[in-house]
Every structure is written in C-alpha cells, then in structure tokens.
Amino acid sequence: MFPELNSILNSTPDSFKSSDFILVSDRRADASFLIHHHLSFYLRAGCKVCFLGLVQSFSHYSAVGQRLGVSLAQAREKGQLVFLEGLKNSIGVILQEDTSQETQPLSYLRTPGAGLEGLFRFVESSVRQSGDGDAGESWGPPVLLIDDLSVLLSLGVSVGAILDFTLYCKATVCSELQGNMVILVRCEEEDADDDEEGSNLLQRGLVHQCNLALHVEGLPTGYCRDIHGQMEVWWRQEGETICNRRKIFHFKVHDKGASFFARGTSSAVL
Amino acid sequence: MAAPVRGMIGSTSIGNTTSFQKKTRSKLVSIPGTRPSVQNGQLLVSSGVSSLDYVIGGGLAVGTLLLVEEDHYDSYSRMLLKYFLAEGVVCGHELFLASARDHPDDIMQELPSPIVDDVAGMKISEGQSQPSDPENPDTMKIAWRYQNQPKVQTALASSVRFGHYYDVSKTMEPELRQAAKCHSFYQLQETPVVTASSPLPSPYHSLLKSIQTVIRKEGFDGSTPQSKVRNVLRLGLHSLGSVLWGDDVCCKDNPAHCHALTTFLYILRGLLRTSLSVAMVTVPSHLTQNRAVMGRIIRLSDTAIALESFKGSEKETNPLYKDYHGLLHVRQLPRLNCLSCEVPDTKDLAFKLKRKQFTIERLHLPPDLSETLVDVQMGFTVTCRILEMSQGRAPL
C-alpha cells in the first residue's frame, strides 16, 4: 500500500468507494506495482479478495506483499484470499490434456475460441463464498483483482470474449455484491490500421466500462533513471459535473513502495 | 522449482511450494556456477558474457527466460547462445539444446574454448613448446619461494567461479564438452505428432513435451530424492518463430498460427518457474511484420535484449560506431519478487566481439542528473565527451 497513492485517490483501507471498477493500464512500461498496491490495500481493509494471477507465481506476490506488510500465505489459509495459479496449472492443461474439474477455469487454453465462461464461474464461486461457517469470519465486500488480462489475447482469446467476461464480472461483483474490481491491461504502441484484435481495442473497451483509470507510461521526453514514468489518473464523474477529472503524476518505484509527485518536482531535478 | 535458497527441507515441501523462495536464515544450497543476487536474493547464473551479466543485473535468475532478438545475419545472437552453452559446460550444468536449422551437435562442436587462468601450468603439461631446464623442468628460477606450493588446479572440472572468459578462435576440447550432459532436440528429425486437441502446432508441442520430460526425469523440479546433487538445467532454443518450426509468424502479415509462439512462451515460462532451469531463446524479430506480436513476445519473457549489428547497414561507416560491431538494446528487465527492477543508468549500449571477450560498453554517457553528488571532475569529462560525440569526432 502506497500512502501517497492513497492520498491522490482519496481512499484509505478504512473508507474507500465501493462498487468501483478500477482499470490499470500501461503502454511500454510496467504498471504491476499498482496491482501490488491494490492487493495489499484490500487485504488490509479486510475484504475478500479473488486474485487471478495469470502471469506470475504466488510466491512472487507473496514476497512483494511481505515488503508491503501483508502476508498472502496467511490470508490464503484464513480464506480471505483466493488465488488462481495461472502459470503452474496451465502446463497441465496444455501438455497433459488434463480435463479434471480443477482446470475448468483454464479451459480457454484448450479452446481459445470458446470464451471465458469457465473462468467466470470460478470468479463467481469465489466471491460468493461468504459466511462459510468455518471460523465465523465475515469479510468485507468482495474484490476481484486480475493480473493481467491482456495475456489472454496472447493465448488466442478474442477481444469480444474478454469484454463479455469483464461485463459479467462487473455485473456480479460491482453491481450485485457491491464489491470492487481492479484489472491490469498492458498495451502496445498505437498502431492505426494494424491490429483489429489488439490490446488497444481491449483497453478502449475497458476504459468505457470503468470508473477510475490509472494509465502508466514512460516519460515523453525519454528515459531517466530517477523518474520511472508518469501515471495519468482519470476519474469518471457522476452527478452534475460534466467534465471528467484528469491528473498526471510522475513516480519512482522503490524497494518498499513508490513515491508520486507532481510533474517537475522530482528530487533529482530540484 | 527455481532458486532453492531455502535449503534441503524435504522433497514433499518442494513439490508443494512454488519457485522464487526468498533467501531465509537457513543455509544456502550451493550449486556450482550460481550465486545469489545482491538486490533481491535470487539465485543467478552467468550468461557466459560478463558484461552482459552486468547489463541485466548481475546474471540470469534461475527460473527466468532470456529473449534475444537476433541480428540480421544471426551471427552475434548465435555467438551469445554458444557462450551460454559453453558457460553451462564449464560450470557443470546440464544442457538442453533445440534447433531447427542446424543440428544441435554442430552447434555444440562450435562452442568457444574457455580461457584457463594458470598459463604456466598448461605449458609445463604440454612439454616441448618451451625451452626449460633440462635436468629438472619444474624448478623455478625467479619465484623460487613458491616452489613448494601446491600446483594450481588447471582442470575446469568443477569450476566454482561465476562467469568465465572464452577464446572465440578456438573450439572447446571434446573431452570437456562430452563431460557435460546435453539433451538435444532437432526439429527436422522429430516425427510430427498429431495433436488435434492442442492449440499449439506440433513442433512447439513436442518441444514442450520433450522439455517437460527432461525436467521430470532428471529431477529439476524437485521430484527426486534428496541424495541427488542439485543442478541447473540450461535451455537454449535457437531461432524460435522461424518457418522451420512450422510457424508462420515471421513470414505472413496475418499468420494462421499467430498465437502459437506466444502460447509456447507462456507455457515455457510456467515450466521454468517450477523447476531449476534457465532458458535463452533467440527469435528472428526482424522478420515479423507485426510489431504488436513482438511486443507481446517481449512481455511474455522476463529479460529481453535485442542485437543490431552494423554489418551491411550504413552505420558501418559512421565514425561514431567505428569501434563497435553493433548496438545492444535492453528491451525489458524483470521484476522478480520485488517492486523495483534493475534500472540501468543508460540505454545506449554498443557491443564488440573481440577474440577473448564480448564487451558491451556505454555509447554515450547520460546527462548528469542524479540525486547523489557527482564528482566535479567527472562532470567536466562528461561534458567534453558529449561535445565531441555531437561534433562527430571520436572520443579521447
């Protein structure tokens, strides 16, 4: 959890907006540090978290979570965190032709054209498990975290299927259960006439659905060792105001967190 | 399972836990040719080129994938692959080499020979090449105080150094090469297996199956009992994505199997994360028409570098580049078990292949903009170099 980011987004683990769909995207940069922030944020807030870890192993998130002050292994044991190991389980699906019940969420690997229904059923069953009667623990509103959604494009799933999946998730998690969703999408360069099924199309579709968009890019002036990039925050306004708020910050990622500052105020420059 | 820095706990726990264990208080398992990273405690192996190790943050982390985008004639990327395999032979690691164009045995025969430290010891063992004292060739005339010291071990049978140097003009001795265990996969000799249910085309599928079999059989994923000594498996996959692998991502604008290579890399990374292995994959990226696919391939790998050689391009005669053979672009550096990644201070790197070393140097010095104090003298030299470079003169 990054305290500076909490103040920028005006949210703390004790009081945050519910039914929120947060989209984290990047272009030729790495925005995964924001996923670590949200993971530790919602675990601290006591929410029930369903994490689809499609690109890294559990111990990676666990090691980073340790530095940020949350224990993922403990959360998983208590039942607060449900983690889908994408990398490890996908080997079995493709190479061993494993068709057991456990690999149903990853059925898109076998038949990419069929869509993400198996994955949605997994998400639905994870977020609806509340009041198990196990330890009497009742967690807060459910949160769905996905890292990252654009890897499904590399595995052959179509943009339309992914957008359908996010709509279903939004309807279940945000509208029905008043929970939050945080999705990471990684894009490439804007190619005007090239790719119909590109990640840019996916990102545009998701920006249309989301409430808050955090977009991470490299600095427009070139590479700098002390400023790792710029982050654009965009809020969708509900209510009377017509114009949408948009702010740009520069950031630097440390070992134990990230610092955000207004453009031009990096300590390297001043 | 990668990076077993937790030590020998028990084979059952190794099977349950996944890779990238953080360095704990328990004793370190030492595998020859590896060392822990100073930043995040990852277990690193050398890529065979010490300046490349420096550029990518100390070495290749066990369990990760290094992607090399080939240069136009595949000369330097092939050289890097040979360095990688030669380092594996010298450190005693196991090798897995897959190629579709040249037979893996041909590539193995071209490995560069390692440079031995103790030159004097080698000459005495050769005998006739040097005029020595006829009565007693072993008496030392100058360093006689060291006469009674034990001879330095010249055999590289179990070298524990990290990173070695190689002489490109000589090939590795067959005895040294055959001491290393090498599994090979030659695409043109494999029988195609009909896998109707898999989204992967047959060559990639059989390659993955072959890699998985080797990992399981030799116990790199921790499935063997504790008595076996731990080792690292080095995978070298040459020219993936080229037509000889049955993939048309490199020759068509809208390939029929546009997800084959990306799915392959995804599954390969899964296999690497759950075993003690490192992979180096070379891809002829200059042949892909679609830049978006190349972007996805880079994101699916951990470390990605691209080689751009000057041969045949107009840069060959540019006086700025006259000392170098090509440019090296670092496309991506991994964030393993930590938030931050290795941040290089400059991205303008050029390489040159000398007989005994593959050097990677900074082409320009970066602007003097940092949070720490910089020596005034160095700042002055920096400005001079930048002025000279911009005027097209060679630096001092």
Side-chain angles (χ1 to χ4, degrees), chain B residues 39-261:
Chain B
Q39 273 128 7
N40 46 14
Q42 291 301 311
L43 196 65
L44 299 178
V45 295
S46 169
S47 61
V49 179
S50 25
S51 31
L52 182 63
D53 286 340
Y54 177 75
V55 163
I56 56 179
L60 287 172
V62 173
T64 60
L65 172 65
L66 168 69
L67 180 86
V68 176
E69 292 185 39
E70 294 176 4
D71 49 313
H72 278 253
Y73 301 102
D74 191 25
S75 35
Y76 298 106
S77 43
R78 202 181 148 99
M79 199 65 236
L80 281 185
L81 190 65
K82 288 192 281 197
Y83 272 119
F84 180 72
L85 296 168
E87 182 71 26
V89 172
V90 167
C91 293
H93 298 158
E94 267 188 53
L95 305 176
F96 181 101
L97 178 56
S99 124
R101 193 174 68 205
D102 310 303
H103 200 282
D105 290 341
D106 295 339
I107 299 179
M108 285 299 286
Q109 270 157 21
E110 290 173 17
L111 292 187
S113 104
I115 295 174
V116 186
D117 280 352
D118 193 348
V119 179
M122 286 277 285
K123 282 192 176 161
I124 286 168
S125 62
E126 274 167 5
Q128 292 84 11
S129 53
Q130 185 196 359
S132 51
D133 200 351
E135 305 100 359
N136 195 357
D138 280 346
T139 47
M140 295 182 178
K141 294 226 171 83
I142 298 170
W144 48 270
R145 281 193 192 275
Y146 297 94
Q147 179 72 49
N148 296 326
Q149 296 289 330
K151 273 226 183 94
V152 175
Q153 181 82 334
T154 58
L156 289 169
S158 59
S159 174
V160 290
R161 238 180 66 188
F162 187 86
H164 298 87
Y165 292 98
Y166 298 90
D167 189 343
V168 179
S169 57
K170 294 189 263 189
T171 51
M172 196 183 264
E173 264 116 57
E175 303 92 46
L176 187 59
R177 200 174 62 232
Q178 271 139 29
K181 209 162 168 192
C182 178
H183 309 268
S184 61
F185 181 98
Y186 187 42
Q187 161 54 18
L188 298 180
Q189 279 173 356
E190 294 286 319
T191 49
V193 175
V194 177
T195 46
S197 55
S198 167
L200 276 178
S202 165
Y204 288 147
H205 190 97
S206 11
L207 177 57
L208 279 174
K209 269 275 199 224
S210 172
I211 293 173
Q212 192 187 36
T213 319
V214 168
I215 288 177
R216 285 236 179 103
K217 209 173 64 163
E218 308 289 332
F220 289 106
D221 54 354
S223 53
T224 52
Q226 280 182 33
S227 56
K228 181 152 183 201
V229 174
R230 296 221 157 188
N231 207 351
V232 169
L233 175 68
R234 286 188 183 230
L235 298 147
L237 309 179
H238 183 247
S239 242
L240 282 186
S242 73
V243 215
L244 291 166
W245 285 101
D247 196 0
D248 51 1
V249 73
C250 281
C251 57
K252 282 206 200 140
D253 224 352
N254 289 317
H257 301 125
C258 47
H259 305 293
L261 184 55

Side-chain angles (χ1 to χ4, degrees), chain A residues 4-261:
Chain A
E4 286 173 13
L5 187 57
N6 283 343
S7 59
I8 290 174
L9 298 179
N10 225 355
S11 60
T12 63
D14 305 316
S15 70
F16 55 88
K17 229 174 86 161
S18 59
S19 306
D20 220 9
F21 178 177
I22 302 173
L23 176 73
V24 178
S25 58
D26 61 33
R27 173 162 285 124
R28 306 193 79 191
D30 193 355
S32 49
F33 67 100
L34 292 172
I35 287 286
H36 294 298
H37 156 83
H38 282 111
L39 180 61
S40 55
F41 180 94
Y42 287 115
L43 281 177
R44 281 231 184 114
C47 297
K48 172 138 182 145
V49 177
C50 172
F51 195 122
L52 304 183
L54 301 175
V55 283
Q56 297 280 11
S57 57
F58 177 74
S59 44
H60 168 83
Y61 298 107
S62 174
V64 180
Q66 209 102 29
R67 285 176 209 243
L68 295 178
V70 287
S71 167
L72 262 70
Q74 228 176 22
R76 191 157 74 158
E77 266 169 53
K78 284 193 292 189
Q80 190 189 7
L81 171 67
V82 177
F83 192 91
L84 174 71
E85 277 263 27
L87 269 187
K88 230 173 53 156
N89 298 340
S90 51
I91 305 171
V93 175
I94 291 238
L95 290 184
Q96 266 97 280
E97 328 284 341
D98 199 357
T99 47
S100 66
Q101 194 53 31
E102 283 166 4
T103 59
Q104 273 306 99
L106 302 173
S107 57
Y108 56 85
L109 283 168
R110 254 174 268 125
T111 45
L116 297 169
E117 192 185 333
L119 195 59
F120 172 68
R121 295 273 168 240
F122 173 82
V123 168
E124 199 188 359
S125 63
S126 319
V127 298
R128 280 197 206 275
Q129 270 169 22
S130 53
D132 251 326
D134 217 49
E137 306 256 24
S138 68
W139 304 112
V143 175
L144 171 66
L145 282 160
I146 305 184
D147 177 18
D148 75 79
L149 203 55
S150 46
V151 79
L152 296 174
L153 289 171
S154 307
L155 297 171
V157 186
S158 69
V159 177
I162 300 179
L163 287 173
D164 287 343
F165 167 75
T166 49
L167 268 176
Y168 268 81
C169 288
K170 186 177 175 192
T172 315
V173 176
C174 295
S175 313
E176 198 187 316
L177 299 170
Q178 307 289 314
N180 289 6
M181 252 168 63
V182 182
I183 294 187
L184 172 64
V185 172
R186 309 193 66 185
C187 318
E188 297 105 29
E189 288 291 328
E190 288 278 355
D191 265 335
D193 41 58
D194 212 18
D195 225 359
E196 278 307 311
E197 295 276 314
S199 46
N200 290 318
L201 198 63
L202 176 63
Q203 193 231 1
R204 283 202 290 268
L206 287 174
V207 165
H208 183 76
Q209 291 177 19
C210 71
N211 300 103
L212 170 65
L214 303 169
H215 185 69
V216 171
E217 259 182 344
L219 290 177
T221 46
Y223 174 74
C224 174
R225 190 182 186 173
D226 292 306
I227 305 174
H228 294 167
Q230 76 178 22
M231 182 181 75
E232 180 190 315
V233 186
W234 178 83
W235 284 271
R236 181 189 296 277
Q237 294 285 47
E238 269 117 50
E240 302 90 30
T241 51
I242 300 172
C243 58
N244 295 313
R245 279 164 50 206
R246 182 174 164 269
K247 277 192 185 167
I248 295 185
F249 296 92
H250 284 177
F251 67 87
K252 177 173 180 172
V253 180
H254 314 295
D255 207 26
K256 287 196 187 274
S259 54
F260 296 84
F261 35 86

